[in-house]
Amino acid sequence: MNVAVPAAEVSADAREAMPLPHLYERVRRHVPAFEWPALAADIEAILRLKQERNAVILAHNYQAPEIFHTVSDIVGDSLALAREAVGADADVIVLAGVHFMAETAKLLNPDKTVLIPDTEAGCSLATSITAADIRLLKARYPGVPVVTYVNTTAEVKAESDICCTSGNARKVIESLGVDRVIMLPDEYLARNIAAELPHIQFITWKGHCEVHERFSAEDIRALRENHPGVVVLAHPECPPEVVAEADFAGSTAAMADYVTERQPPRVVLITECSMADNIAVDNPAVDFVRPCNLCPHMRRITLANIRRALERMEHPVELDPETAGRARLAVERMLAVH
Ligand code: 13P
Ligand code: SF4
């Protein structure tokens, strides 16, 4: 049996003797020392390949710490990744995240090569709805604007009036100036935003995030009982009764900002659990309580397949130009909302 020596127990001298010691310092609480040499070899190769290919790596906040803190050029929530993808100063964009994020980057950069290291990195929300479903909804509710979460395929975005992320959903809906919207596919995000905008009627869809739907209000009450004083931050993809029990709800970037700016002594992030690992690195004074729900799709991205993607230029995102044109409009309308 392999027993990992907790990285924190490796002496400073031993750490200094390891490959890429400055990067190991960033991730040592999450990566056992015996795993580092193999990971460091991939990191060295990726850093070299990025230069050779003139590539940038965009990484979502849920990526593993050894990706997030070492090879990524831009990290953030879905909104930041979409914004940063616009006119990225590179020939190649590698999306360390899930497929819909790579599609969004491609929509915004039709002339660049956008690579997703594993094409199976999907999303339960993106598979919950099709373009045909939206056409049926539009026929049933003529004239009602369709606001589509970015966690969808390009075909679905192409049928939509405007996109949104968890970071700007409220602003996007308010910008429409209507009293009725179709908001999909995330039922919980729609219900959470609807609670903030009671004058607007929301028509919703039954899509759920397989990570956030697992949290319950009972979980939050148990966390508070077992960890007195803990500040609870929840992602708005959680069920409304979970959000109601939280101290704050916001996108992954909003949760990271909350921790960085307010430095709560003890916090729990009701979201994918790599997020806490990533933020903890730069917030050593904060005690993170860590219930762990991992996203299996995000976990498909590894240093090994990022390296392979850059070596072999696999897997480029290809979109039908006509569909991409319509989907781009919905994303661009979202980016124009401030
Ligand atoms: P944000 O990073 O935009 O909050 O999205 C969370 C998420 O679940 C992405 O898949
Ligand atoms: Fe999709 Fe949820 Fe995974 Fe995000 S965390 S990619 S919303 S399944």
Side-chain angles (χ1 to χ4, degrees), residues 180-200:
R180 211 175 181 210
V181 289
I182 300 171
M183 184 177 184
L184 38 82
D186 189 339
E187 181 197 2
Y188 296 147
L189 177 69
R191 284 173 51 197
N192 285 322
I193 301 296
E196 296 176 19
L197 301 171
H199 57 290
I200 300 177

Side-chain angles (χ1 to χ4, degrees), residues 135-147:
R135 287 194 288 271
L136 282 174
L137 279 168
K138 288 198 290 193
R140 185 155 168 204
Y141 301 101
V144 180
V146 177
V147 180

Side-chain angles (χ1 to χ4, degrees), residues 60-62 76-81 98 100-101 122-123 125 149-151 164-168 186 209 211-212 235-237 250-255 271-272 275 295 298:
H60 187 261
N61 287 330
Y62 294 159
D77 65 356
S78 312
L79 182 58
L81 296 185
V98 293
F100 76 79
M101 295 176 178
C123 171
L125 285 166
Y149 198 29
V150 285
N151 298 39
C164 73
T165 73
S166 60
N168 64 9
D186 189 339
C209 161
V211 176
H212 293 95
H235 194 279
E237 287 172 11
S251 75
T252 57
M255 287 191 271
T271 192
E272 215 272 357
M275 170 93 190
C295 172
M298 289 282 176

